Amino acid sequence: MNQTLVNDFNEIVTGRRSIRNYDPTVKISRQEMTEILTKATLAPSSVNLQPWRFVVIDSPEGKATLAPLAKFNQTQVATSAAMIAVFADMNSLDYADEIYGLAVDAGHMPAEVRDVQLPAIKGLISTMTPEQLKEMNLIDAGLVSMQLMLAARAHGYDTNPIGGYEKDQIAEAFDMDKERYYPVMLISIGKAKDMGYQSVRLPVGTITEWK
């Protein structure tokens, strides 16, 4: 086991804080933000449909649109380098052919396997109720959100996941179809202006059973 990698990972995980006050002078380039998001999207998803969608809100105009929708998180909106709105795409199946075609082109999957799996996946998704599909997509969007926060930490940035905002309004506010794109969370990202607060966790023995 590479001890350096272990130490780096431990620092990323144990050093993460939910930061609410950022250095407003720090910006993140589109290139670096793309790198962070690319690493985040390596998270797993159900049958690899990758239902997550991101809106990176980093312009003054974008933040002005977001501010009234995040009334209790004004400091994050004002000082962060960006606010990332994470959505679940309820039509993610539309990308199945592209995803599995790319897997074949990359040599990760034989074409004959794709040709068997795709009809099975489409058949499975077609039998799911909207609530079942939403539940599946929310789990996947949660996975990518956590990975995004860890990727940001690896790049030297801090984050704060936010669930308290006007979820019924945010899609339309950013010109998205509210029936298709279901809001998951906001994630503020930037350089911490202070250390934030440490929090405690229940002992593993309290939350785990061994069988």
Side-chain angles (χ1 to χ4, degrees):
M1 181 179 295
N2 188 316
Q3 193 59 46
T4 299
L5 289 177
V6 171
N7 292 340
D8 288 346
F9 181 75
N10 285 341
E11 195 282 328
I12 289 170
V13 173
T14 62
R16 197 196 69 79
R17 301 283 187 273
S18 288
I19 297 298
R20 290 163 175 77
N21 191 23
Y22 298 90
D23 180 346
T25 66
V26 173
K27 307 300 178 186
I28 301 175
S29 70
R30 182 164 293 189
Q31 178 181 351
E32 187 173 19
M33 185 67 80
T34 299
E35 292 174 6
I36 292 170
L37 293 173
T38 298
K39 290 170 184 173
T41 60
L42 297 176
S45 63
S46 303
V47 292
N48 199 28
L49 285 184
Q50 307 166 40
W52 41 71
R53 303 291 180 263
F54 309 107
V55 177
V56 179
I57 305 161
D58 61 356
S59 68
E61 297 79 13
K63 287 192 171 188
T65 298
L66 177 63
L69 305 181
K71 295 186 179 75
F72 302 107
N73 299 282
Q74 294 300 296
T75 302
Q76 293 97 311
V77 174
T79 64
S80 64
M83 300 289 292
I84 303 173
V86 182
F87 293 86
D89 183 359
M90 300 302 290
N91 290 0
S92 59
L93 187 62
D94 292 350
Y95 292 88
D97 289 299
E98 179 180 354
I99 291 168
Y100 280 75
L102 289 171
V104 171
D105 293 343
H108 300 324
M109 175 183 293
E112 55 268 25
V113 173
R114 172 201 59 193
D115 295 342
V116 170
Q117 288 193 357
L118 267 178
I121 290 167
K122 292 177 181 180
L124 171 66
I125 300 298
S126 69
T127 66
M128 299 177 71
T129 66
E131 283 304 312
Q132 288 173 326
L133 182 59
K134 181 189 294 184
E135 181 179 359
M136 182 180 81
N137 286 344
L138 285 175
I139 291 171
D140 294 341
L143 289 169
V144 82
S145 296
M146 186 70 251
Q147 185 134 319
L148 195 164
M149 288 185 280
L150 294 178
R153 178 72 182 164
H155 276 251
Y157 298 109
D158 301 284
T159 57
N160 178 213
I162 298 168
Y165 61 100
E166 305 297 336
K167 291 186 176 180
D168 60 332
Q169 300 175 42
I170 191 166
E172 288 183 308
F174 291 98
D175 302 315
M176 302 177 73
D177 180 355
K178 68 183 298 183
E179 301 303 320
R180 173 171 180 171
Y181 298 103
Y182 188 82
V184 179
M185 70 176 73
L186 294 172
I187 299 175
S188 60
I189 179 173
K191 282 279 191 179
K193 194 171 183 179
D194 54 51
M195 292 299 294
Y197 298 96
Q198 286 186 298
S199 56
V200 299
R201 294 294 183 269
L202 290 170
V204 170
T206 301
I207 62 172
T208 307
E209 293 187 15
W210 305 87
K211 304 292 186 181

